[in-house]
Amino acid sequence: NLVTIYDIGTHNGVYYLAAEYIGGGTLKDRLAEGGLSVAEILDIVTDVAHGLDFAHQKGFVHRDVKPANVLFRLDGRVVLADFGIAKAMDGSNSSTVAGASVGTPDYMSPEQARGEPVDGRSDLYSLGTMLFEMLAGHPPYQAGDPFTVALMHVTHPVPELPEEHQWLQPLIAGLMAKQAAERFNTGAATVDAIQKLVA
């Protein structure tokens, strides 16, 4: 459930990255079109959780999980793309300035918003914000500027789903807990929670 990278290199002074072609468009596009069923939404979250589980086991945090980075294969399966700001969990990759928050405010974990160190549970928080948006029709926190949105991730309570989706609130709670220690700790644990709720 991750985009395959075939080659990286440089040609005439231009750096390039060659990746597999994923032809089914992005989740951002699908959300704009509307009309995802709950079953489709849970399949998407399951696929992304599997991808994150693999990346985290390899020691990488994505740090920018959002609908524009979720792509559909032509058979409907979902892959996660754009590890452009990914960071090695051991801290060996110092590609970002210490204390700088990186990511997209609508989907940013509280610890990212505070510029603190992140691990895989930060990506799971971002997955929770996408789940909320798919079910509710809008991101969990909305404001006039990105700084306020980032602050809301830190200070506002975990958002409540609309009544018809309340049975999935335990997933939102397990993914979007403000303290990382209170979240599902792996993508696999997220998938288990989804399967139990569906059962």
Side-chain angles (χ1 to χ4, degrees):
N1 298 106
L2 301 176
V3 172
T4 300
I5 305 299
Y6 295 121
D7 191 25
I8 55 172
T10 180
H11 179 74
N12 292 338
V14 176
Y15 291 96
Y16 68 85
L17 181 151
E20 71 175 311
Y21 176 69
I22 310 286
T26 69
L27 177 57
K28 184 178 181 182
D29 298 335
R30 297 275 175 104
L31 287 173
E33 294 160 11
L36 285 170
S37 70
V38 171
E40 289 171 316
I41 289 167
L42 294 178
D43 282 347
I44 290 165
V45 172
T46 297
D47 283 354
V48 176
H50 281 305
L52 287 173
D53 200 62
F54 182 82
H56 297 160
Q57 285 181 37
K58 298 293 183 190
F60 288 93
V61 193
H62 187 285
R63 298 200 303 171
D64 199 20
V65 175
K66 61 183 180 183
N69 287 337
V70 175
L71 309 180
F72 289 88
R73 294 189 187 279
L74 294 177
D75 66 4
R77 285 180 303 140
V78 165
V79 296
L80 185 59
D82 195 3
F83 275 74
I85 60 170
K87 189 169 178 70
M89 284 195 228
D90 64 7
S92 62
N93 170 2
S94 58
S95 62
T96 54
V97 179
S101 65
V102 179
T104 305
D106 282 340
Y107 311 100
M108 188 180 278
S109 71
E111 56 272 26
Q112 268 182 300
R114 289 191 297 258
E116 295 172 358
V118 298
D119 61 21
R121 295 168 299 182
S122 181
D123 286 341
L124 295 177
Y125 181 96
S126 300
L127 179 59
T129 65
M130 284 195 339
L131 172 61
F132 184 91
E133 181 175 4
M134 287 189 279
L135 291 167
H138 57 82
Y141 306 113
Q142 296 174 288
D145 67 274
F147 296 102
T148 305
V149 173
L151 186 63
M152 291 168 83
H153 282 287
V154 176
T155 60
H156 279 47
V158 174
E160 288 286 324
L161 286 168
E163 194 169 336
E164 69 269 26
H165 299 314
Q166 270 293 313
W167 66 283
L168 291 168
Q169 188 64 33
L171 277 184
I172 297 295
L175 288 165
M176 289 188 66
K178 298 295 162 174
Q179 300 300 321
E182 295 170 10
R183 291 179 211 143
F184 301 129
N185 59 355
T186 63
T190 306
V191 173
D192 287 345
I194 291 169
Q195 289 171 342
K196 284 177 181 150
L197 277 175
V198 171

